[in-house]
Amino acid sequence: FVEGLYFNRLGHDSSHLVKKNIFSYVDGTDVHIPQLTVKQTLEFAFECQHKGDSKAHAEMIMKALGLSHVADTVVGDALIRGVSGGERRRVSVGEMWAVNTRVYIG
């Protein structure tokens, strides 16, 4: 039994490790701003953490996650009709990807 946090076989006491944003847990509940489109959601996530071309980054994520066809569709929620549940889940994964974290889906 091995106990502790290891990254690339280095123990958790390694001072040179940067642990911020290594992984992100995507919960089973997708929480978004329902009025934003898929593209706006991904651009906003990118702009919260980075400077640069958020439009190009969002396009790349949408293409990789198969969301390009719903780029201009609102994400929606229980009250606002939007993308499907599976597409909403991929938007959640895309948000985490936009801020450069590795994604663990629960």
Side-chain angles (χ1 to χ4, degrees):
F1 178 73
V2 178
E3 186 176 308
L5 172 66
Y6 290 86
F7 182 74
N8 290 340
R9 298 186 189 137
L10 300 172
H12 71 283
D13 59 315
S14 300
S15 61
H16 65 281
L17 285 179
V18 178
K19 297 177 182 90
K20 181 181 177 189
N21 290 336
I22 292 176
F23 290 98
S24 180
Y25 174 75
V26 180
D27 192 20
T29 306
D30 299 310
V31 180
H32 302 281
I33 301 171
Q35 296 86 357
L36 294 181
T37 65
V38 170
K39 185 175 182 177
Q40 290 170 333
T41 300
L42 297 175
E43 288 173 355
F44 178 72
F46 180 82
E47 290 168 359
C48 285
Q49 295 287 326
H50 307 284
K51 294 180 180 178
D53 189 3
S54 63
K55 293 186 186 314
H57 200 79
E59 291 291 337
M60 181 273 302
I61 292 171
M62 287 186 297
K63 184 176 180 182
L65 295 176
L67 294 169
S68 297
H69 67 287
V70 293
D72 296 319
T73 305
V74 295
V75 174
D77 62 7
L79 300 175
I80 299 172
R81 186 178 176 100
V83 296
S84 72
E87 290 164 340
R88 190 172 298 120
R89 168 52 57 154
R90 286 182 276 156
V91 171
S92 296
V93 171
E95 279 184 305
M96 297 301 109
W97 192 1
V99 296
N100 289 332
T101 58
R102 295 172 193 220
V103 179
Y104 171 74
I105 301 170

